Amino acid sequence: MNTQDETIADQLQRHIARWNDETQHSSRVVTEHPSYQAIVAMGKSVLPALFREMSHRPDWFFVALEEITGAQPERLPEHAGRLDELTQDWLEWAKAHGYF
């Protein structure tokens, strides 16, 4: 399949799979991975698909979200480092900004 023929959601899934496969046992900074950076480069067009993905399968997309949106949802200090809580913070932000 040609990249031009892929939908944003398809591209996102491809990058997520590669990112997860290639970083799951890595000690390097996962946000520097080419697929993670490709997700960031997709810009705001990826946000609806990324938020849908996060609502089903939380993952560490917070740096990408901050880079794409320029936002940092208000978080309680106890949410730091907690995947489920940080995901909820971002999903609430997404709802408030019309992504759901």
Side-chain angles (χ1 to χ4, degrees):
M1 177 182 285
N2 183 319
T3 302
Q4 287 183 314
D5 296 333
E6 287 183 294
T7 66
I8 295 289
D10 293 335
Q11 290 177 47
L12 176 63
Q13 289 304 313
R14 183 172 45 84
H15 287 303
I16 289 171
R18 181 175 173 218
W19 174 62
N20 283 327
D21 287 346
E22 295 179 7
T23 62
Q24 65 184 348
H25 299 294
S26 176
S27 61
R28 74 182 254 212
V29 178
V30 297
T31 58
E32 293 175 2
H33 187 276
S35 282
Y36 196 92
Q37 289 303 309
I39 292 168
V40 172
M42 293 169 79
K44 291 187 178 194
S45 64
V46 78
L47 291 176
L50 187 53
F51 287 127
R52 279 192 307 274
E53 174 70 19
M54 290 176 66
S55 71
H56 299 293
R57 283 183 295 275
D59 209 336
W60 296 97
F61 292 112
F62 312 119
V63 171
L65 290 169
E66 289 176 11
E67 288 186 36
I68 294 167
T69 66
Q72 287 186 317
E74 289 210 22
R75 301 177 180 133
L76 298 174
E78 59 268 20
H79 288 190
R82 300 178 70 140
L83 180 62
D84 290 338
E85 286 84 349
L86 291 171
T87 297
Q88 254 336 101
D89 293 339
W90 271 103
L91 293 177
E92 289 173 16
W93 182 93
K95 287 176 187 169
H97 289 83
Y99 289 100
F100 280 114

